[in-house]
Amino acid sequence: MEPPDEPTTRKRRIDPKLQAAGWNVVPFDSTRPLSAYDRCAIEEYPTANGPADYALCLDARIVAIIEAKRPGADPQEVLPQTERYARGLTDMPIEFGGYHAPFLYATNGDVIWHRDARHPMNASRKIAAFHTPQALIERLADTFDLACAGLMDTTNDHPRLRPYQREANAAVEQAITQRKRRMLVAMATGTGKTFTTVNQVYRLMKSGVAKRILFLVDRRALAAQAVRAFASFELLPGLKFDRIYEVYSQRFKREDLETDEKWDPKVLPPGYLRDPRPGHAFVYVCTIQRLAVNVLGRNAIFGLGDEDLDPDAEQEPIPIHAFDVIIADECHRGYTSAELSVWRNTLDHFDAVKIGLTATPASHTTAYFTDVVYRYEYERAVHEGYLVDYDVVTIKSDVRMKGLFLNEGEEVEQVDPKTGARRRDLLEDEREFESTEIERSATSPDSNRKILAEIKKYADEHEARYHRFPKTLIFAVSDVPHVSHADSLTRIARDVFARGDQFVRKITGKVDRPLQEIRNFRNRRVTDVVVTVDMLSTGVDIPDLEFIVFLRPVKSRILFEQMLGRGTRRGENCPNKSHFTVFDCFDGTLIEYFRQATDITAEPPQREARTIPEIIDAIWNNRDRDYNVRCLVKRLHRIDKEMSADARELFSAFIDDGDLAHYANRLPRRLHEDFTHTMSLLRDPSFQDLLLNYPRAPKTFTVAPEAQDTVTSAWLVRGTDGKEYRPDDYLAAFARFVRENPDHVEAIRILLDRPQAWSTQALTELRAKLAAAPQRFRVDDLERAHRLHYHKALVDLISMVKHAADETQPLYTAAERVEAAFARITAGHTFTNEQQKWFDRIKEHLVENLTIDHEDFDDLPVFARAGGWGRANRVFEGQLPGLIRLINEAVAA
């Protein structure tokens, strides 16, 4: 069918869109003054360069030109024609760089392209609808250039801002000033994206660059957190954000809140969306699901996200200028391709500056937001001390890596996933489950128990060293009824750790008040081990988290990085948290798989599977026929493997003996020989319904209580170079560093050649230079590596350096080194009781610190309580300075 011509397109497609935006479409009449055309779209308006298809009139002025084309034309290509007409409006009182109408549009009835010609840097863009008269009145009155100048001249000096957060604000503001409409800010998890954004919103609103701002999230709980962040943001001491600007949100449910306190933020008045006004200045925090309903309607967004839709959400006539700026938090979430389409269509409805926030950009994210205007990577945040790095423990489980092999005669338990019914059975033959089927079709309780027992060893070691149990997050495979891996791990962990039910909790969407459980896990020591599936993978802050356990195979780079992000924050109640530990229960294959992860990943959104009727329709319409035939054959074979005996009987009404596999094998040849007749069966509605709704064979889940697993583990250190080092390799790298750097690290030269210069300053330099090496030589990690390699616990740092330079040098603990030093110093001398007490205090300090200085005697309680430097110097008859130098030299010798 031929596409409609231009006049028909205008009447049937373009005029209704203009009328919907509030414009009265009228023909041009030369006898009428422009004052009679207020809020009109004047057809065939004359200009010095020819008639314009439409001219939009406000207050007796032509403010916009519209070029109309038939559906086959590309509006972006014809938009320059409007520039010619805008220049030809020579009798208009306004002028912007030669254009006498500032707003230009081109449309084919389906697509609209627009350019604001008032500034040469304003790029043309696609918009969802025409601007309303009120929108253009508002835009004509704006002072964007002055507002941007004021913004750029305003010092960004909030006392809580970190340097990189100021950099992020500056990058966004520079991009907006340069007339960019889409931009992406990528900041590592835990670096304060929300705080940075709230400060950014305040600066945009205060300067007048933006008045109506939408903050978009994808879960109501995150919306509640964001509203709290805006409400608690202090512009000045005692002056909160919501005391100056209005902050609105949708309604929340009890389960969306972390506490039981009564708190009901202000709900956005409906008129703010339907009829935005210049006087409105507000922030609206909303979920993408609710906004999609408001824009597209309920039927258009089925399945977006995993939350129920708000019952009061309805489609609204929202004009495209409802917001000046839209900020999409966690915008990396790609979902399926269908969900991504809803997400984009919702954002595309609005003609606003769009800012994406993410820790893990994906290809679809950067494609939509175009420019990554600022990036603050995880490695830089670790280097600057705002986040902590991680070590790796690889856990090798034969069951996880090789699968589960069951012998004939072995007793198993068969579980019906639908009812939970269980029955014991003896296998009549061998049976094997692939590794990918573990915890989905079968489980070995022994495997789960041994893995958790291995983790407990590291937890006990951590508790002995730091005097606190490491908060631990375990990612399970599933939490489905009757065969839940999360439930199984929770039960076993309670037995393995033996500290009560409250100590180990499951937190998934299926538990009561999950946000309250998260709050307890974060803020209290009652719960220190949590089992989850994906609820805590993103959007949840647990600063004190120190162990992350991957018992769930992950193939999404974005999800993996988000999971890791749960542990990167510096501790709140454990301020000496220097790192966290990742347990890769797949023998390091997860870490290896994601080793080459980059901030911009090529990972596409998950494609939504086509239905069989859609594939059949593609074959019938000869759309990539050979490919779709192959797809259909695979689907038929899959059905043959999954269907029950009853299904075979039902299929026998259509094909011989109901043998779907045989039918699938012969299908390509049949289509080639008799396409129409073969397609008649495939297109039969009853046959298609059976292909979709055939009776499935009942599934069972196998529990193998007798199967034994072999589980081992290995600790690895992760360097700033992105490599993981086993203890032997780590110590070899350390030895090379010590031998190659005496000329670059003064503390190493002192320990090797001039022990008389040993001091607290030298020790501080040594620790800093070691930690800054590519291998990140932390003292704790070096100590553990020496224990694992040399079977010597608590080796002191001085011994490590000396032994690395010369393997004949012995390895001492700090206590052994200090005792040996004092034995040399005190040999042949006698001391008073009070002098001996001071020696005991000094030795206690040296065991922990390896050096002592004058200031320590007055600064540290152990010395200050006994009288400090003055008293100690008198006890040693004024000889304490020389004695301190002698002690430091002896410790370093």
Side-chain angles (χ1 to χ4, degrees):
M1 186 175 68
E2 284 291 321
D5 57 18
E6 184 181 310
T8 303
T9 300
R10 288 167 61 171
K11 291 302 176 188
R12 293 182 179 177
R13 301 191 182 200
I14 300 175
D15 287 3
K17 284 181 168 59
L18 286 165
Q19 291 160 353
W23 299 97
N24 183 24
V25 181
V26 297
F28 173 70
D29 184 347
S30 61
T31 65
R32 298 176 64 188
L34 277 180
S35 58
Y37 287 103
D38 191 43
R39 299 179 181 243
C40 286
I42 308 171
E43 297 176 307
E44 300 299 331
Y45 188 83
T47 77
N49 296 322
D53 291 333
Y54 299 90
L56 303 185
C57 183
L58 286 172
D59 296 328
R61 295 181 299 173
I62 300 300
V63 298
I65 295 293
I66 301 175
E67 177 68 16
K69 294 295 182 184
R70 62 191 299 172
D74 182 351
Q76 185 178 11
E77 291 183 356
V78 302
L79 186 62
Q81 292 184 29
T82 61
E83 298 176 1
R84 184 171 71 250
Y85 300 133
R87 289 192 181 98
L89 294 168
T90 53
D91 56 344
M92 288 298 110
I94 55 177
E95 192 265 338
F96 301 94
Y99 301 108
H100 297 279
F103 305 118
L104 311 177
Y105 301 85
T107 180
N108 61 9
D110 294 321
V111 177
I112 304 171
W113 273 79
H114 164 64
R115 180 171 174 250
D116 181 345
R118 292 177 296 171
H119 194 285
M121 292 299 292
N122 286 336
S124 60
R125 58 186 182 270
K126 183 179 174 183
I127 56 176
F130 289 108
H131 293 100
T132 66
Q134 183 59 46
L136 296 190
I137 291 172
E138 184 175 338
R139 292 174 70 184
L140 285 168
D142 72 28
T143 55
F144 186 76
D145 288 335
L146 289 175
C148 284
L151 175 64
M152 300 301 285
D153 289 340
T154 302
T155 304
N156 194 5
D157 57 359
H158 194 286
R160 286 183 55 198
L161 277 180
R162 296 169 176 173
Y164 65 86
Q165 293 170 327
R166 291 190 178 89
E167 293 173 6
N169 287 162
V172 169
E173 292 163 12
Q174 183 68 30
I176 291 175
T177 301
Q178 293 173 348
R179 302 306 203 275
K180 293 183 178 179
R181 305 283 295 180
R182 295 183 183 182
M183 61 201 73
L184 185 66
V185 175
M187 295 172 63
T189 299
T191 55
K193 290 192 298 296
T194 302
F195 182 82
T196 306
T197 303
V198 174
N199 184 70
Q200 183 70 81
V201 168
Y202 167 64
R203 288 176 56 79
L204 293 176
M205 296 184 76
K206 181 182 179 183
S207 65
V209 170
K211 296 178 180 178
R212 302 183 295 268
I213 296 181
L214 171 66
F215 189 84
L216 206 57
V217 297
D218 74 342
R219 297 208 302 267
R220 282 189 300 269
L222 297 181
Q225 291 177 22
V227 172
R228 287 185 182 277
F230 278 100
S232 63
F233 183 81
E234 283 195 329
L235 313 178
L236 296 169
L239 182 60
K240 300 293 181 65
F241 185 98
D242 60 354
R243 298 294 298 274
I244 296 182
Y245 299 109
E246 297 172 289
V247 178
Y248 295 107
S249 71
Q250 64 200 93
R251 288 186 174 87
F252 296 118
K253 299 179 180 180
R254 185 174 72 100
E255 57 267 27
D256 299 327
L257 309 177
E258 291 190 359
T259 66
D260 289 319
E261 65 179 285
K262 293 183 179 179
W263 176 68
D264 189 14
K266 290 188 271 187
V267 175
L268 184 75
Y272 277 46
L273 280 180
R274 300 172 189 157
D275 187 21
R277 295 288 176 174
H280 292 166
F282 64 90
V283 175
Y284 178 38
V285 181
C286 178
T287 62
I288 180 66
Q289 293 89 342
R290 182 183 182 90
L291 191 67
V293 171
N294 294 152
V295 172
L296 306 175
R298 286 181 173 268
N299 294 334
I301 68 159
F302 179 77
L304 179 62
D306 54 5
E307 285 190 331
D308 295 334
L309 297 179
D310 294 349
D312 63 331
E314 298 294 342
Q315 190 169 9
E316 305 273 3
I318 305 175
I320 64 174
H321 72 291
F323 301 105
D324 302 317
V325 171
I326 296 176
I327 300 171
D329 194 20
E330 304 291 1
C331 65
H332 59 271
R333 297 194 179 143
Y335 323 108
T336 65
S337 55
E339 290 173 318
L340 177 59
S341 176
V342 172
W343 182 83
R344 286 189 172 187
N345 290 342
T346 302
L347 288 183
D348 284 344
H349 175 79
F350 298 98
D351 184 32
V353 172
K354 290 153 189 169
I355 305 171
L357 304 178
T358 184
T360 49
S363 57
H364 62 274
T365 312
T366 52
Y368 184 83
F369 289 99
T370 310
D371 288 315
V372 183
V373 296
Y374 184 72
R375 189 191 304 275
Y376 189 65
E377 301 91 345
Y378 170 63
E379 294 294 347
R380 179 182 164 192
V382 170
H383 178 73
E384 294 178 354
Y386 294 110
L387 297 179
V388 299
D389 201 6
Y390 61 90
D391 287 345
V392 177
V393 172
T394 62
I395 294 183
K396 182 179 180 180
S397 155
D398 284 352
V399 167
R400 257 68 192 177
M401 300 309 298
K402 302 176 183 178
L404 185 60
F405 184 83
L406 305 178
N407 295 304
E408 179 183 348
E410 193 167 331
E411 185 178 47
V412 297
E413 190 174 47
Q414 303 288 2
V415 182
D416 186 332
K418 289 186 176 180
T419 66
R422 294 171 176 261
R423 62 179 178 84
R424 291 196 171 270
D425 197 6
L426 292 179
L427 293 180
E428 297 182 17
D429 198 358
E430 296 175 344
R431 189 168 184 189
E432 185 174 2
F433 294 92
E434 299 291 334
S435 60
T436 55
E437 297 179 276
I438 302 304
E439 307 305 341
R440 300 188 185 280
S441 300
T443 185
S444 162
D446 180 72
S447 177
N448 285 322
R449 179 175 294 276
K450 284 179 176 173
I451 289 172
L452 291 175
E454 199 70 18
I455 293 165
K456 181 178 183 295
K457 295 177 184 177
Y458 291 89
D460 290 344
E461 179 185 333
H462 184 284
E463 188 171 26
R465 174 181 294 275
Y466 298 109
H467 310 294
R468 64 175 181 271
F469 190 93
K471 278 196 177 293
T472 301
L473 182 60
I474 302 173
F475 286 104
V477 171
S478 67
D479 187 30
V480 294
H482 311 305
V483 293
S484 166
H485 186 215
D487 283 342
S488 176
L489 287 175
T490 301
R491 288 192 302 269
I492 296 172
R494 285 171 175 168
D495 186 44
V496 168
F497 292 108
R499 304 196 187 196
D501 283 7
Q502 284 295 326
F503 188 78
V504 180
R505 304 288 289 180
K506 181 183 83 168
I507 302 180
T508 67
K510 296 184 179 180
V511 304
D512 183 48
R513 301 300 304 274
L515 293 180
Q516 182 68 51
E517 292 280 1
I518 292 172
R519 184 169 179 266
N520 291 340
F521 180 45
R522 179 176 61 230
N523 299 330
R524 300 171 60 190
R525 298 306 311 192
V526 176
T527 300
D528 274 339
V529 178
V530 159
V531 180
T532 190
V533 176
D534 56 14
M535 185 170 187
L536 277 74
S537 64
T538 185
V540 176
D541 297 341
I542 313 288
D544 294 335
L545 191 65
E546 294 186 273
F547 280 14
I548 296 180
V549 180
F550 284 93
L551 259 167
R552 167 189 173 182
V554 179
K555 292 300 181 183
S556 164
R557 181 176 287 108
I558 292 176
L559 180 58
F560 179 75
E561 291 176 359
Q562 287 288 317
M563 289 173 163
L564 280 185
R566 300 313 97 205
T568 60
R569 290 168 176 83
R570 296 166 63 183
E572 289 182 350
N573 300 311
C574 47
N576 61 337
K577 174 185 172 182
S578 61
H579 65 286
F580 66 103
T581 302
V582 175
F583 291 83
D584 181 346
C585 298
F586 301 90
D587 197 23
T589 56
L590 285 184
I591 295 293
E592 183 62 30
Y593 181 77
F594 295 113
R595 182 187 298 278
Q596 302 301 322
T598 59
D599 286 336
I600 299 294
T601 170
E603 181 177 332
Q606 178 185 346
R607 288 194 174 186
E608 196 170 67
R610 294 179 300 164
T611 64
I612 286 182
E614 289 173 337
I615 296 174
I616 292 172
D617 182 69
I619 296 171
W620 177 246
N621 286 284
N622 278 327
R623 293 196 299 268
D624 204 353
R625 184 159 129 185
D626 291 343
Y627 166 75
N628 282 296
V629 169
R630 293 195 300 272
C631 291
L632 180 59
V633 168
K634 288 183 178 180
R635 293 288 186 92
L636 295 177
H637 276 294
R638 187 186 307 168
I639 294 171
D640 182 72
K641 293 177 181 178
E642 294 178 351
M643 66 184 183
S644 67
D646 291 339
R648 201 170 299 278
E649 290 292 329
L650 294 173
F651 274 113
S652 65
F654 298 96
I655 57 178
D656 293 342
D657 300 323
D659 190 343
L660 200 59
H662 181 69
Y663 175 80
N665 289 335
R666 297 191 61 190
L667 182 60
R669 182 175 178 180
R670 288 180 174 181
L671 286 169
H672 178 72
E673 293 175 350
D674 191 350
F675 180 78
T676 303
H677 182 264
T678 305
M679 288 300 303
S680 65
L681 172 61
L682 291 172
R683 300 179 68 223
D684 185 314
S686 298
F687 185 59
Q688 289 190 5
D689 180 71
L690 183 58
L691 289 173
L692 294 174
N693 302 303
Y694 59 92
R696 269 72 168 173
K699 292 185 177 181
T700 60
F701 184 85
T702 301
V703 180
E706 296 182 8
Q708 298 293 303
D709 194 11
T710 300
V711 175
T712 57
S713 65
W715 168 77
L716 308 177
V717 181
R718 183 175 181 270
T720 58
D721 53 7
K723 298 178 181 178
E724 283 79 37
Y725 295 86
R726 296 186 179 276
D728 292 0
D729 299 330
Y730 192 56
L731 292 180
F734 177 65
R736 286 194 300 273
F737 181 88
V738 169
R739 292 167 185 163
E740 293 171 359
N741 284 282
D743 295 335
H744 302 97
V745 182
E746 179 65 17
I748 294 177
R749 179 176 292 279
I750 289 172
L751 287 178
L752 300 183
D753 301 327
R754 296 186 292 111
Q756 66 273 14
W758 182 244
S759 64
T760 300
Q761 181 180 352
L763 177 61
T764 301
E765 183 215 11
L766 178 61
R767 285 175 171 162
K769 291 292 180 64
L770 291 177
Q775 296 82 4
R776 194 177 282 121
F777 296 120
R778 292 186 298 249
V779 175
D780 286 352
D781 291 337
L782 287 169
E783 187 177 297
R784 174 178 282 178
H786 279 83
R787 174 174 57 80
L788 294 173
H789 183 75
Y790 295 105
H791 306 290
K792 172 79 174 182
L794 303 176
V795 174
D796 73 89
L797 182 57
I798 295 173
S799 293
M800 296 177 195
V801 172
K802 289 179 174 291
H803 185 81
D806 179 2
E807 292 186 355
T808 65
Q809 291 289 319
L811 293 172
Y812 294 117
T813 66
E816 292 168 345
R817 176 168 294 279
V818 171
E819 285 296 335
F822 270 83
R824 292 195 296 273
I825 293 170
T826 60
H829 301 279
T830 58
F831 298 93
T832 67
N833 287 337
E834 190 169 4
Q835 287 174 332
Q836 192 60 55
K837 288 179 181 178
W838 276 100
F839 275 147
D840 290 341
R841 296 185 187 104
I842 293 171
K843 284 195 288 185
E844 181 183 350
H845 173 78
L846 287 170
V847 168
E848 296 295 327
N849 299 278
L850 292 177
T851 70
I852 189 166
D853 283 343
H854 183 145
E855 292 78 8
D856 294 333
F857 284 84
D858 292 322
D859 294 343
L860 300 179
V862 65
F863 300 127
R865 283 195 298 263
W869 175 267
R871 177 62 183 171
N873 197 29
R874 288 194 297 273
V875 168
F876 287 102
E877 301 174 352
Q879 301 301 308
L880 188 56
L883 182 60
I884 291 302
R885 288 193 295 272
L886 187 63
I887 290 173
N888 280 332
E889 179 181 0
V891 170

